Amino acid sequence: MESLFFNAGEKRYRRGRVSLPCGGTMLRIDISNALVVFETLELGQKTVLPIEGLERMALLAMVEQGGFSLQSRNKATKWEAKAGDSLLFTSGRQAMRLHIFPDSRLFAVAVSDFFLKRYCSGRLNDPVDFLYNKMQNDCDVCWFDRVPVDALSLYLIRKITQKAPQSRSLPMRAEHDAMELLLHRFELIDMHDETLESESLRIAKCARAHLLKRFADPPTIVELARMCATNPTTLKRAFKKVYAETIGAYVRRLRLQRANQLLRDHRLSIAEVAERVGFRHHGHFSRLFFEAYGFYPKDLK
């Protein structure tokens, strides 16, 4: 594959189909010289793509159906993804081989390191800083994070891939949608401060493990403190110190993230989604969802 980020030509926005070696095509959209989007099209059989000439980059891959495997050239590392996976990779300058399974529908967003550098903050636990620093070494391709594909991510990627070529202000709109997708995906990364004292980390991680299992019907602070062998005051202080948010805010975020995933299932009503994640009133759920994501659940349905 040719270099990704320096082939936009005279236009910053370019859109076209790429023929694949084993048949089928892939949609490629150069949004700018730092953002490239791909979507598989008409893919009926397994496809193997050798990928070379890579720059340092982050790669967001989403699998709607089918799957893929990604392997380093020296075959030392290999990752596989199946339908419903959303993965983040970083790459130095190493070649790799991509195996796309038959009848797969994949989306990918490649982001250059110099694009991410604009948004580095210098703060601990900032995912942009983490990704940028990780790709500065000439490392192999590295898997970084995996979460389920959610309704909002699919909504945003389709806004990019399905835009009519004659749309007004298309390059600016496409970059805005790509930025919104990346921002949303980065916020799903569960990062915390590993430099804190061991006891705070122990308590916070213990609490998080219990909340991940019971966020729709979470234990009270007193119950959670007992589960983590501490007292309520120490629990709340440790959790806020490690995860930079209160336990209540974290539970609300878990509920909304899970709701975002459930909204992909068109058999469920919004009220049913709200009830499954622990909201009694779907009107209240819709308002919180909009405050978190900028879209109402009905927009994604």
Side-chain angles (χ1 to χ4, degrees):
M1 179 180 288
E2 61 182 7
S3 173
L4 282 180
F5 301 120
F6 298 95
N7 288 278
E10 296 180 0
K11 297 181 179 180
R12 291 180 60 84
Y13 182 94
R14 186 176 64 178
R15 183 186 183 99
R17 291 194 175 203
V18 179
S19 297
L20 300 177
C22 299
T25 58
M26 182 177 289
L27 174 67
R28 171 174 172 162
I29 305 172
D30 291 83
I31 294 177
S32 71
N33 66 344
L35 279 171
V36 184
V37 174
F38 297 95
E39 177 189 4
T40 57
L41 303 170
E42 303 165 5
L43 200 64
Q45 57 184 311
K46 184 175 181 178
T47 300
V48 180
L49 290 176
I51 303 176
E52 299 179 348
L54 289 176
E55 294 83 8
R56 295 186 179 100
M57 67 175 187
L59 181 69
L60 166 60
M62 293 185 290
V63 186
E64 188 169 10
Q65 67 183 46
F68 70 89
S69 65
L70 192 64
Q71 190 169 35
S72 59
R73 181 169 53 183
N74 60 14
K75 299 184 179 181
T77 51
K78 181 179 180 179
W79 297 268
E80 290 195 359
K82 62 183 186 303
D85 282 342
S86 173
L87 300 100
L88 274 172
F89 295 92
T90 59
S91 172
R93 298 178 179 274
Q94 305 301 316
M96 55 186 172
R97 189 172 295 273
L98 174 65
H99 298 253
I100 306 176
F101 304 157
D103 300 315
S104 291
R105 184 174 177 84
L106 314 177
F107 301 95
V109 184
V111 190
S112 72
D113 66 330
F114 58 87
F115 182 89
L116 290 178
K117 187 177 182 180
R118 306 175 198 168
Y119 301 100
C120 286
S121 65
R123 296 195 302 267
L124 286 173
N125 302 320
D126 187 308
V128 175
D129 288 65
F130 182 88
L131 288 169
Y132 177 77
N133 293 330
K134 195 172 181 63
M135 68 181 73
Q136 291 315 295
N137 300 319
D138 285 332
C139 62
D140 206 339
V141 180
C142 297
W143 169 76
F144 171 53
D145 186 64
R146 182 197 301 258
V147 298
V149 174
D150 59 82
L152 180 57
S153 293
L154 285 177
Y155 175 79
L156 292 170
I157 193 70
R158 283 172 175 148
K159 283 183 71 177
I160 299 168
T161 59
Q162 296 177 8
K163 283 188 183 300
Q166 65 272 19
S167 298
R168 298 178 64 181
S169 305
L170 182 57
M172 186 178 294
R173 288 181 183 275
E175 183 160 341
H176 173 271
D177 292 335
M179 286 288 291
E180 193 165 6
L181 172 63
L182 292 172
L183 178 61
H184 168 60
R185 182 61 181 83
F186 290 165
E187 287 178 344
L188 296 179
I189 301 171
D190 206 343
M191 302 191 70
H192 56 272
D193 191 347
E194 291 283 3
T195 65
L196 295 171
E197 63 271 18
S198 59
E199 183 61 8
S200 291
L201 285 172
R202 182 197 68 78
I203 293 170
K205 287 184 176 181
C206 177
R208 175 178 173 270
H210 287 295
L211 294 173
L212 284 169
K213 296 176 182 177
R214 291 187 52 187
F215 61 83
D217 181 26
T220 66
I221 296 295
V222 173
E223 291 171 336
L224 188 59
R226 191 181 305 117
M227 293 173 180
C228 298
T230 188
N231 61 71
T233 301
T234 303
L235 168 65
K236 290 188 286 186
R237 185 184 301 121
F239 197 93
K240 182 71 179 290
K241 188 183 296 184
V242 174
Y243 292 108
E245 62 184 335
T246 65
I247 292 172
Y250 185 71
V251 169
R252 184 164 56 250
R253 182 157 65 90
L254 290 177
R255 287 174 168 177
L256 293 174
Q257 287 176 4
R258 179 56 180 156
N260 201 346
Q261 296 161 15
L262 291 173
L263 286 168
R264 293 183 57 200
D265 187 344
H266 296 291
R267 295 169 298 180
L268 295 176
S269 68
I270 293 173
E272 288 172 322
V273 170
E275 184 178 357
R276 286 197 182 193
V277 299
F279 290 103
R280 295 182 180 178
H281 305 290
H282 73 268
H284 177 59
F285 159 65
S286 294
R287 179 176 61 79
L288 291 177
F289 195 94
F290 180 82
E291 290 176 358
Y293 299 122
F295 296 89
Y296 287 105
K298 64 180 181 180
D299 297 329
L300 306 186
K301 295 291 281 184

